[in-house]
Amino acid sequence: MTETTLTLHRILKAPRHLVWRCWTEPELLKPWFVPKPHSVSEVVMDVRPGGRFFTLMNVDGNEYPNDGSYLAVQPEERLVFTDLMLADWAPVAEPGLGFTAELILKDHPDGTDYTAIARHRTPDDTRKHEAMGFSEGWGMVATQLEAFARTLA
């Protein structure tokens, strides 16, 4: 971790092309994207630089919309998205915690070498995200992703 970066690295025992599909197809994102028992009820994806990435998370009876955009898309290798900018490069009026996420996928003998990086605006935002449960939450989600991707094989 740097002052503004949080990183999760795992080896997922699922093929890289399936991990990619889970990150880029709306119906394949819903089952694993938030730690259970929470859920995602709506997903909008336009997987291209400047395209919209929207999720509606359901946590403890409350709905949390998260709207953002993709910044970079390299199929089956790298996906970068942010909630600091909306689709078609529109700025966010009132950014909350806000961060940019980068996913890096590489082949591994056991499946996929998976790195998730969250880049924040300030060290304080980074500490807040870690205190909110970044490591535990994103770790649980990676485990859920691995298990779900394996069902697609």
Side-chain angles (χ1 to χ4, degrees), residues 2-140:
T2 67
E3 286 191 349
T4 58
T5 303
L6 298 170
T7 302
L8 175 82
H9 178 258
R10 294 276 175 90
I11 303 301
L12 303 182
K13 292 182 176 144
R16 180 169 58 147
H17 75 278
L18 294 179
V19 171
W20 177 262
R21 285 186 59 207
C22 289
W23 266 105
T24 57
E25 295 179 27
E27 291 307 312
L28 300 184
L29 186 91
K30 287 180 183 179
W32 63 267
F33 189 65
V34 296
K36 295 188 184 314
H38 310 303
S39 65
V40 173
S41 59
E42 184 180 347
V43 178
V44 177
M45 293 178 164
D46 180 5
V47 186
R48 63 173 176 85
R52 186 178 186 202
F53 181 25
F54 172 84
T55 58
L56 183 60
M57 298 178 207
N58 305 287
V59 178
D60 299 328
N62 298 303
E63 290 185 331
Y64 295 96
N66 189 26
D67 209 354
S69 67
Y70 294 99
L71 302 176
V73 179
Q74 293 171 269
E76 297 187 19
E77 292 180 10
R78 183 170 171 256
L79 190 65
V80 182
F81 56 93
T82 188
D83 60 356
L84 294 169
M85 186 174 296
L86 301 174
D88 298 318
W89 317 114
V92 174
E94 295 285 332
L97 177 59
F99 63 95
T100 297
E102 179 178 12
L103 303 172
I104 302 168
L105 309 177
K106 297 178 183 173
D107 284 331
H108 186 275
D110 292 331
T112 303
D113 185 309
Y114 178 85
T115 303
I117 303 165
R119 292 184 174 89
H120 302 80
R121 293 173 293 164
T122 66
D124 189 50
D125 287 348
T126 308
R127 286 188 292 276
K128 285 178 187 173
H129 197 181
E130 183 59 47
M132 288 169 57
F134 171 85
S135 295
E136 182 181 358
W138 282 47
M140 290 172 64

